[in-house]
Amino acid sequence: MANRLAGATSPYLRQHADNPVDWWPWGDEAFAESRRRDVPVLLSVGYAACHWCHVMAHESFEDDGVAAAINAGFVPVKVDREERPDVDAVYMAATTAMTGQGGWPMTAFLTPDGEPFHCGTYFPREQLLAVLAAVGEAWRERRGAVLAQGEAVTQAIARGTGTLPTAPVDDAALAQAVAALRRDFSAQHGGFGGAPKFPPSMTLVHLLRHHARTGDASALELAERTCEAMARGGIYDQLAGGFARYSVDAAWVVPHFEKMLYDNAQLLRVYAHLWRATSSPLAARVARETAQFLLRDLRTPAGGFASALDADTDGVEGLTSVWTPAQLRDVLGDDDGRRAAEALVVTDAGTFTGGASTLQLPEDPDPAWWGPVRDRLFAARGRRPQPARDDKVVTAWNGLAVAALAEAGAVLDEPAWVDAAAVCADHLLAVHRVEGRWRRASRDGVAGDAPAVAADHGDLAEGLLALHQATGEARWLSAAGELLDLALDHFGSADGGFFDAADDAERLVVRPRDPTDGPEPSGTSALAGALAVYAALTGSSRHRTAAERAVAATGTLARRAPRFAGWTLATAEALAAGPLQVAVVGDGPAADDLRRTAWRTPSAGAVVVHGAPDSPGVPLLADRPLVGGRPAAYVCRGFVCDLPVTDPADLTQQLTVRA
């Protein structure tokens, strides 16, 4: 049996390389084999940090009997959803349409033409064997009905990817979205909706931007209370920093322990924005600890960022992270152990399975005591078995990390974060750009074959634009402009939105286009946000119009379901508030004071650039000289410019005027 997954760039595929299942990677060769053998394709989709993917692998894909049944009757194809989000989107739509729910692992049976005719998610071993037998019999005995089912499902998901009516997201729609979020808000626990509960990263940015633009105190309250509840709950890693993927309960107590790059990058940005709006010490602490987590635990040797840490260790979810009172006493001694148990809500009954507890921090303890205790517990946890790391470098998620580190580094005055963002961006430009086009992911400095999707272009452009603002270097602006023009040429739709796959990418049974902002921005909203920032930095009306059209393309969704259009609404707030352009010219301590003041503005539409007057390739610095030989700040709002100022207090006054 050929081992076709051994050389994959995806750690998830490599996890299955030695299975007795005769796996094929996604590609034309697998479907050609399906036609040659006249058997269906069994498509299995998951990702490396997925707990139930591991369970199904151990129960079924490592089992010789199950493997024999799969190999005899099917061409099995394994896909990493994080490496091929376009493939995942098509067949997840089919799974949801057929079963009413989705999730991973995803299991789909396809015709040799790729049309899905039976779908599901996790199947226990015996159930999977029964499904394999039933599907095989249907393929042999009722081929016509199977093919008709595949065609009908394909047509249904094609209709589901159709466009919604365009609708501009104006002031009234933005106010209505906040009102809808107030109705969905959990007054008891913060956040929106019930269990399971996911960090609403993009919605939090939307709320903070709405407050900055309008002064709506309720928008700030929703964001602030949610951020505090998450930061004090078990979903936040009280020892190592960083957030887990979601909470299985409504109170943020018990997380699903996988820690994803895209969540933590976005939440770093959220807490930096919250600190900027409120000067909250909690927000500053969480931002710093989350940045530390990214740099310590997810950074790769080449300077990119790995995708995730697993939910489980040695097959046990949460094994590394949960504690009992006795374990705390073993590390800290009786007195500090009891005190830590009280502070961290570690009880004899436990909040997790087996009498163990996740760590919460309802109140900040005395830092003189808590700092050394936290260090000792973190060191002790480091001696436990550790979760595996999915070390593929995904373009979109690294773009989010670049944006977060560059922007938070500028806001919180942490130049090392900005430097790390620049190293990551250089790595992406060197490895992920192949013959003028972009790849989705790499591993160990080698780009994979999967092409970049729309979100890769939008999120990376967003990161490069944040880096341009934090450093004043023209090359980041130039690279972002090239990315955005490439996206406009190859992903654009007639209504102003964007398809997820390029017009010259591999043809799937449906060209995917998902407008919803889920755990990360959709392709359309990611590009809309970056286009809006690029337009503000360059004055390009073409790019601003493209941003407005992309927001309008998702406007109906934003009006109907604002929780699932967070980044569209955040971008609409930026367009409504801006452009607010701030250029700081000069160097030295006086220029640094002006730059720090500029970065403290919470305006949704603000862009900030600093550097020498007339720096080549930096439009906002053109024709902006020093004033009396002193560093100066130039503020333009909505294409109307104020007089330059040299005093930070005067700059603060200019920036606090609301549009």
Side-chain angles (χ1 to χ4, degrees), residues 7 33 74 90 120 138 169 200 214 225 227 271 334 351 408 430 470 500 504 587 589 638 640 646:
E33 179 69 2
F74 305 88
V90 170
V169 185
T214 68
R225 289 176 62 185
C227 285
Y271 282 88
D334 288 344
T351 57
D500 293 331
D504 56 355
D587 55 20
V640 177
T646 58

Side-chain angles (χ1 to χ4, degrees), residues 5 262 300 302-303 313 336 390 395 440 526 535 554 569 586:
L5 305 185
Y262 54 74
T300 68
T313 304
D336 282 343
D390 180 344
T395 301
R440 169 70 175 173
T554 316
L569 289 161

Side-chain angles (χ1 to χ4, degrees), residues 72-94:
F74 305 88
V75 172
V77 174
K78 179 62 74 173
V79 167
D80 183 342
R81 67 167 296 265
E82 297 173 348
E83 192 171 55
R84 291 301 304 262
D86 51 344
V87 172
D88 176 68
V90 170
Y91 295 105
M92 185 56 69

